[in-house]
Amino acid sequence: MSTIDVPEVDRRTLPLYEAGSVEVPYVIDGMDEAINRNTFWEEHSHPTHELIWNTRGASSLTVGSRTWTITPAVGLWIPAGVRHTAWTPAGTWYRTAMFSVQTTTPIADEPVAVDVTDLLRLLLDRLAEPGLDDASRSKTEAMVLDILAPAPHELVLRIPEAELLIPIVRSLEADVRDGRTLEEWSTQLGVSARTITRQFQSETGLGFSRWLAAARIQRAIVLLTDGESIDEIAAAVGFRSASAFGTAFRRVTGTSPGRFRAQ
């Protein structure tokens, strides 16, 4: 979850394109940008498929009710024509690779996470080298397409939209450390704990506690890329101990906080 109503936000507008509506003269082409100010990208879409990841920092991208966290280790594949918004905090250095619809078979028909391995990163770096001859470019592009695949774990959070759950979502957007329990929210909202649980399960696929942990882990990932200590991060996102934080982190990401930071 990213809060965008803060001072000093650069809001950018890009066009809405249908998939394949612009024929491009490449198989894979890329760009990168170091972001100096908090930046929110209004809803847009591309005529090409897109792979986005970061060289530095953590950012987020939203499609409908789903928000993915993007890091140097975990990128996101966005099929051509899919409308999305994005949030890049100051200090983020993002990279994108655009894939021609005409010459590329998509790895998925909807957004999916991609592990940005050392090999994939090296191949994409090679495509950015000036003066790369046509034969070398074709071989490198073929290797990229050969190893590109959905990741086994996604840093994605579904944001519930039910009116009943809006107070919970807004409270955690304001302060992810909010420690109110399911029972306390039940009393405050005037409904049973079972009703809240059913609503979370229906909209997000997770119960209240698992959803809350996932929301906190998304926020923690940003702090991990900023270099904060694990104990400090655990406290900053509302976990009572580093041990509890580590357990929740492994459940969401498939790895420990320390290993995730080292990737």
Side-chain angles (χ1 to χ4, degrees):
M1 272 180 297
S2 297
T3 303
I4 62 174
D5 295 324
V6 296
E8 300 299 322
V9 174
D10 180 12
R11 301 183 76 94
R12 299 195 191 180
T13 302
L14 294 175
L16 291 167
Y17 287 106
E18 296 298 323
S21 59
V22 177
E23 190 166 349
V24 296
Y26 55 77
V27 177
I28 305 173
D29 192 27
M31 64 159 288
D32 66 289
E33 181 183 3
I35 299 295
N36 297 318
R37 298 177 60 192
N38 293 335
T39 301
F40 179 70
W41 306 76
E42 304 281 0
E43 186 173 70
H44 62 282
S45 57
H46 306 288
T48 54
H49 306 304
E50 178 182 23
L51 174 65
I52 183 167
W53 73 104
N54 296 333
T55 295
R56 180 180 64 235
S59 55
S60 63
L61 188 144
T62 299
V63 177
S65 63
R66 294 173 295 171
T67 296
W68 285 265
T69 299
I70 297 167
T71 73
V74 183
L76 185 68
W77 169 272
I78 311 158
V82 171
R83 298 187 176 198
H84 56 280
T85 61
W87 169 250
T88 48
T92 304
W93 181 1
Y94 76 86
R95 290 187 62 182
T96 67
M98 312 304 287
F99 295 74
S100 166
V101 170
Q102 286 77 26
T103 55
T104 303
T105 300
I107 64 171
D109 294 329
E110 61 179 8
V112 292
V114 171
D115 285 335
V116 183
T117 62
D118 289 341
L119 176 56
L120 178 58
R121 191 179 295 109
L122 286 169
L123 291 171
L124 292 167
D125 285 345
R126 189 162 194 253
L127 290 176
E129 292 178 0
L132 188 67
D133 63 69
D134 291 345
S136 295
R137 174 169 295 279
S138 294
K139 290 177 183 177
T140 305
E141 288 169 340
M143 292 178 70
V144 169
L145 297 174
D146 185 52
I147 66 171
L148 199 60
H153 293 278
E154 290 194 297
L155 305 178
V156 61
L157 186 70
R158 291 182 182 270
I159 307 300
E161 298 176 333
E163 185 175 351
L164 171 65
L165 303 182
I166 287 176
I168 301 176
V169 172
R170 287 180 176 169
S171 175
L172 289 164
E173 285 178 338
D175 185 358
V176 77
R177 296 170 299 176
D178 188 324
R180 276 174 281 188
T181 65
L182 177 60
E183 289 70 24
E184 288 170 327
W185 277 114
S186 170
T187 300
Q188 181 171 333
L189 298 176
V191 297
S192 69
R194 182 175 297 179
T195 296
I196 295 175
T197 298
R198 277 201 306 262
Q199 194 74 66
F200 264 107
Q201 191 71 43
S202 173
E203 293 209 24
T204 72
L206 300 173
F208 170 79
S209 297
R210 294 286 292 271
W211 183 88
L212 174 59
R216 288 173 168 170
I217 295 305
Q218 275 209 342
R219 192 71 59 88
I221 287 168
V222 176
L223 300 177
L224 277 170
T225 61
D226 285 343
E228 301 284 345
S229 77
I230 290 175
D231 284 345
E232 290 173 332
I233 292 169
V237 298
F239 286 94
R240 293 183 179 179
S241 67
S243 174
F245 170 59
T247 298
F249 196 95
R250 281 189 291 272
R251 184 186 300 124
V252 172
T253 68
T255 189
S256 69
R259 287 186 178 179
F260 185 91
R261 183 181 343 224
Q263 290 177 334

